Amino acid sequence: MNLRVEKLRQLMITEDLPAILVTSPYNLRYLTNFTGTTGLALITLERAFFVTDFRYMEQAAKQAVDYEIIQNKGPIFKEVARLIDEMGIEDVAFEEEHVSFATYSTLVDLFSCDLTPIAGLIESLREVKEDREVAIIKKAISISDAAFTHILKVIKPGMTEIEIANQLDFYMRSLGASGVSFETIVASGYRSAMPHGVASEKVLAKGDMVTLDFGCYYQGYVSDMTRTFALGDPGEQLKEIYEIVLAANQKVIAEAKAGVTGEYLDFVARKVIGDAGYGEAFGHGLGHGIGLEIHEGPAVSKAYTKEYLPGNIITDEPGIYLAGLGGVRIEDDLLITATGNEVLTQSPKELIIL
């Protein structure tokens, strides 16, 4: 029995949804374990179908073990339409955030039933990680930690940001990562004031603050970390800012647990930075959930008012950014527990001056 499908069915009963068409590749992986690139699932309250073409039949049989595997020999949605007619389904929910208007138009033409848009239903199940998921994410994070240790040994003035990014990316792959979880950010000197300053041709110079924000995919799950350090003395103001950001990061760790909200944690971090006089320089939310995607629920922002649950994994990434001078961000991945949290990111956080 696929426990994830059973949990989804309970939500389907609550929402009065007789069937769901799953097309999001992340939700497909979560519900079916399928890692190929072509396929979809049709789940009813009694049956679960996985539809794919000839190329993936053997793979689907091994991975989607609790599904009836159907081979489409023509357009895949025609095969779904046949199943809908065969079972007399009168309404099918579809993932509105993952279906283009062109695809929706195709569904309207082919399906003999009503179509109901849904959003966030399957994603809500993904927010609470199972023990196996936590173990995989911990491994992904350990790879990122090792890459940070590696880069501290090789980075030096005269290298470009792109060279550093490539070093990080290749090293993570050498440790078993299947790829990066997002485009690696390397922002040095004045560019460290850019929160999402992906690596450029800028040459690192003595005295630069360097922000590295990076992560990897391991067995389908992501890691995400940020560390800021200096190549030589960066000056008193940037050292002061570093300590403020670190204090905000640590305050969140002290407060994060099941029952608190993203709104509260965002306030906690923002108060530390605001009380130090840099509130306007912290212009983004505190964090986000991670899992199969680099940004998924639950959020960590003033807009997120739901209480966290044990098994949520969130990021804690306060920052201060001063145009023309530089910036600091420190990011950890936290596993929420009933009584607190486990800091999964193990890289040191005291200011490192190389």
Side-chain angles (χ1 to χ4, degrees), residues 51-54 57 70-76 78-79 82:
V51 185
T52 190
D53 63 35
F54 173 80
M57 287 296 290
I70 306 293
Q71 180 180 342
N72 64 288
K73 297 181 180 179
I76 193 167
K78 270 195 173 182
E79 194 62 42
R82 182 189 67 78

Side-chain angles (χ1 to χ4, degrees), residues 76-93:
I76 193 167
F77 290 119
K78 270 195 173 182
E79 194 62 42
V80 177
R82 182 189 67 78
L83 292 170
I84 289 170
D85 291 341
E86 184 180 281
M87 291 185 290
I89 297 172
E90 297 182 351
D91 191 298
V92 170

Side-chain angles (χ1 to χ4, degrees), residues 85-106:
D85 291 341
E86 184 180 281
M87 291 185 290
I89 297 172
E90 297 182 351
D91 191 298
V92 170
F94 69 96
E95 301 166 292
E96 63 179 355
E97 295 176 329
H98 304 286
V99 172
S100 68
F101 183 76
T103 297
Y104 175 76
S105 298
T106 298

Side-chain angles (χ1 to χ4, degrees), residues 293-323:
E293 295 181 83
I294 191 61
H295 290 101
E296 62 180 49
V300 195
S301 71
K302 61 183 178 182
Y304 193 81
T305 57
K306 295 179 182 178
E307 294 182 352
Y308 291 130
L309 300 171
N312 292 153
I313 298 182
I314 61 172
T315 66
D316 166 17
E317 48 182 308
I320 294 175
Y321 313 92
L322 301 177

Side-chain angles (χ1 to χ4, degrees), residues 144-152 212 214 225 227 229 347 352:
S144 298
D145 279 329
F148 180 67
T149 298
H150 166 74
I151 210 67
L152 291 178
L212 306 180
F214 63 100
M225 67 174 285
R227 289 295 184 267
F229 56 95
S347 294
I352 296 171

Side-chain angles (χ1 to χ4, degrees), residues 49-63:
F49 300 92
F50 188 84
V51 185
T52 190
D53 63 35
F54 173 80
R55 298 170 297 167
Y56 294 105
M57 287 296 290
E58 182 177 355
Q59 179 179 345
K62 291 178 179 178
Q63 294 180 327

